[in-house]
Amino acid sequence: MNRNGANGTIGAMVFAAIASCAAHANAQAGVNEPVGVAVQRVSASTPGSRPDTSVVRDVRRAIRRVPDLDDSDIHIRVSHGVVTLSGTVPETWQVSRAANAARPVLGVKAVTNRLKAKEDAAASE
């Protein structure tokens, strides 16, 4: 066999081996596209969004950092970044402070404040 024929055969074997490895790697990754097709994986969540459970945790932490704010009766719900605060706080000034603490938390898109002061809640009953 001449030298050019051997180089061609070796080149074909190398190409076949690379193609076989690429096909195997795609199969391992669960990708069904043919060899040579670029696949871009996209996250299911939108950029900058966070799981609601993480937002709840961080809002709770932010509210706990507010001096003299009793958060024991504050309930926090988050749905797609919209925070809802409900429950009661001991004093009127704490209603707005809790909402203000929640707003800058990463992942919060809006805050619905349904908190009531215990003194106001007792007067309305």
Side-chain angles (χ1 to χ4, degrees), residues 48-67:
S49 69
R50 299 179 61 213
D52 290 342
T53 54
S54 296
V55 176
V56 168
R57 181 194 64 225
D58 291 347
V59 167
R60 173 71 61 198
R61 288 178 180 167
I63 289 172
R64 284 190 174 147
R65 285 193 299 265
V66 175

PDB file of all heavy atoms in Angstrom, residues 48-67:
ATOM      1  N   GLY A  48     -32.248  35.348  36.582  1.00  0.00           N
ATOM      2  CA  GLY A  48     -32.432  36.195  37.755  1.00  0.00           C
ATOM      3  C   GLY A  48     -33.526  35.723  38.692  1.00  0.00           C
ATOM      4  O   GLY A  48     -33.678  36.267  39.771  1.00  0.00           O
ATOM      5  N   SER A  49     -34.302  34.724  38.299  1.00  0.00           N
ATOM      6  CA  SER A  49     -35.358  34.254  39.188  1.00  0.00           C
ATOM      7  C   SER A  49     -34.777  33.244  40.173  1.00  0.00           C
ATOM      8  O   SER A  49     -33.761  32.615  39.915  1.00  0.00           O
ATOM      9  CB  SER A  49     -36.511  33.628  38.405  1.00  0.00           C
ATOM     10  OG  SER A  49     -36.107  32.403  37.824  1.00  0.00           O
ATOM     11  N   ARG A  50     -35.442  33.105  41.293  1.00  0.00           N
ATOM     12  CA  ARG A  50     -34.999  32.177  42.326  1.00  0.00           C
ATOM     13  C   ARG A  50     -36.184  31.339  42.764  1.00  0.00           C
ATOM     14  O   ARG A  50     -37.327  31.773  42.660  1.00  0.00           O
ATOM     15  CB  ARG A  50     -34.476  32.963  43.524  1.00  0.00           C
ATOM     16  CG  ARG A  50     -33.296  33.845  43.181  1.00  0.00           C
ATOM     17  CD  ARG A  50     -32.808  34.630  44.369  1.00  0.00           C
ATOM     18  NE  ARG A  50     -32.365  33.737  45.416  1.00  0.00           N
ATOM     19  CZ  ARG A  50     -32.482  34.007  46.714  1.00  0.00           C
ATOM     20  NH1 ARG A  50     -33.011  35.124  47.114  1.00  0.00           N
ATOM     21  NH2 ARG A  50     -32.061  33.155  47.615  1.00  0.00           N
ATOM     22  N   PRO A  51     -35.925  30.175  43.304  1.00  0.00           N
ATOM     23  CA  PRO A  51     -37.034  29.370  43.823  1.00  0.00           C
ATOM     24  C   PRO A  51     -37.766  30.121  44.935  1.00  0.00           C
ATOM     25  O   PRO A  51     -37.147  30.825  45.739  1.00  0.00           O
ATOM     26  CB  PRO A  51     -36.348  28.121  44.372  1.00  0.00           C
ATOM     27  CG  PRO A  51     -34.993  28.092  43.748  1.00  0.00           C
ATOM     28  CD  PRO A  51     -34.637  29.512  43.421  1.00  0.00           C
ATOM     29  N   ASP A  52     -39.081  29.958  44.975  1.00  0.00           N
ATOM     30  CA  ASP A  52     -39.882  30.654  45.984  1.00  0.00           C
ATOM     31  C   ASP A  52     -39.440  30.306  47.400  1.00  0.00           C
ATOM     32  O   ASP A  52     -39.452  31.165  48.275  1.00  0.00           O
ATOM     33  CB  ASP A  52     -41.367  30.315  45.795  1.00  0.00           C
ATOM     34  CG  ASP A  52     -41.942  30.945  44.534  1.00  0.00           C
ATOM     35  OD1 ASP A  52     -41.332  31.889  44.000  1.00  0.00           O
ATOM     36  OD2 ASP A  52     -43.007  30.494  44.093  1.00  0.00           O
ATOM     37  N   THR A  53     -39.025  29.062  47.627  1.00  0.00           N
ATOM     38  CA  THR A  53     -38.602  28.672  48.979  1.00  0.00           C
ATOM     39  C   THR A  53     -37.368  29.458  49.419  1.00  0.00           C
ATOM     40  O   THR A  53     -37.252  29.825  50.588  1.00  0.00           O
ATOM     41  CB  THR A  53     -38.310  27.164  49.045  1.00  0.00           C
ATOM     42  OG1 THR A  53     -37.367  26.824  48.020  1.00  0.00           O
ATOM     43  CG2 THR A  53     -39.583  26.347  48.862  1.00  0.00           C
ATOM     44  N   SER A  54     -36.472  29.743  48.490  1.00  0.00           N
ATOM     45  CA  SER A  54     -35.282  30.538  48.819  1.00  0.00           C
ATOM     46  C   SER A  54     -35.664  31.979  49.126  1.00  0.00           C
ATOM     47  O   SER A  54     -35.102  32.600  50.027  1.00  0.00           O
ATOM     48  CB  SER A  54     -34.291  30.530  47.654  1.00  0.00           C
ATOM     49  OG  SER A  54     -33.818  29.232  47.427  1.00  0.00           O
ATOM     50  N   VAL A  55     -36.621  32.492  48.378  1.00  0.00           N
ATOM     51  CA  VAL A  55     -37.065  33.869  48.613  1.00  0.00           C
ATOM     52  C   VAL A  55     -37.736  33.965  49.976  1.00  0.00           C
ATOM     53  O   VAL A  55     -37.483  34.911  50.733  1.00  0.00           O
ATOM     54  CB  VAL A  55     -38.006  34.350  47.487  1.00  0.00           C
ATOM     55  CG1 VAL A  55     -38.544  35.743  47.786  1.00  0.00           C
ATOM     56  CG2 VAL A  55     -37.276  34.343  46.148  1.00  0.00           C
ATOM     57  N   VAL A  56     -38.579  32.986  50.336  1.00  0.00           N
ATOM     58  CA  VAL A  56     -39.232  32.980  51.653  1.00  0.00           C
ATOM     59  C   VAL A  56     -38.177  33.009  52.754  1.00  0.00           C
ATOM     60  O   VAL A  56     -38.249  33.813  53.691  1.00  0.00           O
ATOM     61  CB  VAL A  56     -40.148  31.748  51.828  1.00  0.00           C
ATOM     62  CG1 VAL A  56     -40.582  31.595  53.278  1.00  0.00           C
ATOM     63  CG2 VAL A  56     -41.357  31.849  50.920  1.00  0.00           C
ATOM     64  N   ARG A  57     -37.175  32.147  52.623  1.00  0.00           N
ATOM     65  CA  ARG A  57     -36.116  32.078  53.639  1.00  0.00           C
ATOM     66  C   ARG A  57     -35.393  33.410  53.781  1.00  0.00           C
ATOM     67  O   ARG A  57     -35.176  33.904  54.890  1.00  0.00           O
ATOM     68  CB  ARG A  57     -35.123  30.976  53.253  1.00  0.00           C
ATOM     69  CG  ARG A  57     -33.985  30.811  54.255  1.00  0.00           C
ATOM     70  CD  ARG A  57     -32.848  29.975  53.710  1.00  0.00           C
ATOM     71  NE  ARG A  57     -32.265  30.682  52.575  1.00  0.00           N
ATOM     72  CZ  ARG A  57     -31.945  30.114  51.416  1.00  0.00           C
ATOM     73  NH1 ARG A  57     -32.154  28.835  51.226  1.00  0.00           N
ATOM     74  NH2 ARG A  57     -31.409  30.831  50.448  1.00  0.00           N
ATOM     75  N   ASP A  58     -35.047  34.031  52.649  1.00  0.00           N
ATOM     76  CA  ASP A  58     -34.296  35.277  52.702  1.00  0.00           C
ATOM     77  C   ASP A  58     -35.149  36.453  53.168  1.00  0.00           C
ATOM     78  O   ASP A  58     -34.643  37.363  53.826  1.00  0.00           O
ATOM     79  CB  ASP A  58     -33.662  35.562  51.346  1.00  0.00           C
ATOM     80  CG  ASP A  58     -32.544  34.581  51.029  1.00  0.00           C
ATOM     81  OD1 ASP A  58     -32.098  33.857  51.948  1.00  0.00           O
ATOM     82  OD2 ASP A  58     -32.108  34.540  49.867  1.00  0.00           O
ATOM     83  N   VAL A  59     -36.438  36.449  52.841  1.00  0.00           N
ATOM     84  CA  VAL A  59     -37.332  37.495  53.358  1.00  0.00           C
ATOM     85  C   VAL A  59     -37.445  37.363  54.869  1.00  0.00           C
ATOM     86  O   VAL A  59     -37.398  38.354  55.601  1.00  0.00           O
ATOM     87  CB  VAL A  59     -38.715  37.434  52.669  1.00  0.00           C
ATOM     88  CG1 VAL A  59     -39.734  38.281  53.406  1.00  0.00           C
ATOM     89  CG2 VAL A  59     -38.605  37.877  51.220  1.00  0.00           C
ATOM     90  N   ARG A  60     -37.587  36.135  55.356  1.00  0.00           N
ATOM     91  CA  ARG A  60     -37.658  35.912  56.810  1.00  0.00           C
ATOM     92  C   ARG A  60     -36.394  36.444  57.472  1.00  0.00           C
ATOM     93  O   ARG A  60     -36.454  37.122  58.505  1.00  0.00           O
ATOM     94  CB  ARG A  60     -37.846  34.419  57.097  1.00  0.00           C
ATOM     95  CG  ARG A  60     -37.762  34.017  58.562  1.00  0.00           C
ATOM     96  CD  ARG A  60     -38.919  34.457  59.412  1.00  0.00           C
ATOM     97  NE  ARG A  60     -40.156  33.874  58.945  1.00  0.00           N
ATOM     98  CZ  ARG A  60     -41.353  34.344  59.285  1.00  0.00           C
ATOM     99  NH1 ARG A  60     -41.455  35.385  60.089  1.00  0.00           N
ATOM    100  NH2 ARG A  60     -42.446  33.799  58.834  1.00  0.00           N
ATOM    101  N   ARG A  61     -35.241  36.158  56.900  1.00  0.00           N
ATOM    102  CA  ARG A  61     -33.974  36.647  57.466  1.00  0.00           C
ATOM    103  C   ARG A  61     -33.916  38.172  57.465  1.00  0.00           C
ATOM    104  O   ARG A  61     -33.458  38.789  58.425  1.00  0.00           O
ATOM    105  CB  ARG A  61     -32.797  36.081  56.681  1.00  0.00           C
ATOM    106  CG  ARG A  61     -32.556  34.623  56.922  1.00  0.00           C
ATOM    107  CD  ARG A  61     -31.414  34.125  56.080  1.00  0.00           C
ATOM    108  NE  ARG A  61     -31.179  32.705  56.316  1.00  0.00           N
ATOM    109  CZ  ARG A  61     -30.417  31.945  55.553  1.00  0.00           C
ATOM    110  NH1 ARG A  61     -29.795  32.458  54.507  1.00  0.00           N
ATOM    111  NH2 ARG A  61     -30.267  30.669  55.831  1.00  0.00           N
ATOM    112  N   ALA A  62     -34.379  38.777  56.378  1.00  0.00           N
ATOM    113  CA  ALA A  62     -34.354  40.243  56.283  1.00  0.00           C
ATOM    114  C   ALA A  62     -35.263  40.869  57.332  1.00  0.00           C
ATOM    115  O   ALA A  62     -34.906  41.875  57.958  1.00  0.00           O
ATOM    116  CB  ALA A  62     -34.779  40.681  54.882  1.00  0.00           C
ATOM    117  N   ILE A  63     -36.424  40.290  57.537  1.00  0.00           N
ATOM    118  CA  ILE A  63     -37.358  40.818  58.539  1.00  0.00           C
ATOM    119  C   ILE A  63     -36.793  40.645  59.946  1.00  0.00           C
ATOM    120  O   ILE A  63     -36.918  41.538  60.786  1.00  0.00           O
ATOM    121  CB  ILE A  63     -38.739  40.140  58.396  1.00  0.00           C
ATOM    122  CG1 ILE A  63     -39.408  40.632  57.106  1.00  0.00           C
ATOM    123  CG2 ILE A  63     -39.628  40.417  59.597  1.00  0.00           C
ATOM    124  CD1 ILE A  63     -40.693  39.906  56.757  1.00  0.00           C
ATOM    125  N   ARG A  64     -36.111  39.547  60.169  1.00  0.00           N
ATOM    126  CA  ARG A  64     -35.520  39.313  61.506  1.00  0.00           C
ATOM    127  C   ARG A  64     -34.392  40.284  61.808  1.00  0.00           C
ATOM    128  O   ARG A  64     -34.071  40.521  62.972  1.00  0.00           O
ATOM    129  CB  ARG A  64     -35.019  37.873  61.616  1.00  0.00           C
ATOM    130  CG  ARG A  64     -36.150  36.903  61.798  1.00  0.00           C
ATOM    131  CD  ARG A  64     -35.682  35.525  62.143  1.00  0.00           C
ATOM    132  NE  ARG A  64     -36.857  34.707  62.425  1.00  0.00           N
ATOM    133  CZ  ARG A  64     -36.950  33.426  62.167  1.00  0.00           C
ATOM    134  NH1 ARG A  64     -35.932  32.783  61.631  1.00  0.00           N
ATOM    135  NH2 ARG A  64     -38.048  32.768  62.442  1.00  0.00           N
ATOM    136  N   ARG A  65     -33.782  40.863  60.776  1.00  0.00           N
ATOM    137  CA  ARG A  65     -32.699  41.822  61.001  1.00  0.00           C
ATOM    138  C   ARG A  65     -33.206  43.218  61.356  1.00  0.00           C
ATOM    139  O   ARG A  65     -32.416  44.078  61.734  1.00  0.00           O
ATOM    140  CB  ARG A  65     -31.808  41.892  59.757  1.00  0.00           C
ATOM    141  CG  ARG A  65     -30.896  40.689  59.605  1.00  0.00           C
ATOM    142  CD  ARG A  65     -29.833  40.935  58.556  1.00  0.00           C
ATOM    143  NE  ARG A  65     -30.377  41.178  57.235  1.00  0.00           N
ATOM    144  CZ  ARG A  65     -30.541  40.249  56.293  1.00  0.00           C
ATOM    145  NH1 ARG A  65     -30.195  39.005  56.538  1.00  0.00           N
ATOM    146  NH2 ARG A  65     -31.036  40.580  55.119  1.00  0.00           N
ATOM    147  N   VAL A  66     -34.499  43.444  61.231  1.00  0.00           N
ATOM    148  CA  VAL A  66     -35.043  44.767  61.580  1.00  0.00           C
ATOM    149  C   VAL A  66     -35.061  44.885  63.102  1.00  0.00           C
ATOM    150  O   VAL A  66     -35.672  44.059  63.787  1.00  0.00           O
ATOM    151  CB  VAL A  66     -36.474  44.954  61.015  1.00  0.00           C
ATOM    152  CG1 VAL A  66     -37.067  46.270  61.478  1.00  0.00           C
ATOM    153  CG2 VAL A  66     -36.460  44.862  59.499  1.00  0.00           C
ATOM    154  N   PRO A  67     -34.407  45.906  63.662  1.00  0.00           N
ATOM    155  CA  PRO A  67     -34.364  46.055  65.117  1.00  0.00           C
ATOM    156  C   PRO A  67     -35.764  46.243  65.717  1.00  0.00           C
ATOM    157  O   PRO A  67     -36.596  46.960  65.156  1.00  0.00           O
ATOM    158  CB  PRO A  67     -33.518  47.313  65.334  1.00  0.00           C
ATOM    159  CG  PRO A  67     -32.810  47.544  64.054  1.00  0.00           C
ATOM    160  CD  PRO A  67     -33.642  46.943  62.979  1.00  0.00           C
TER     161      PRO A  67
END
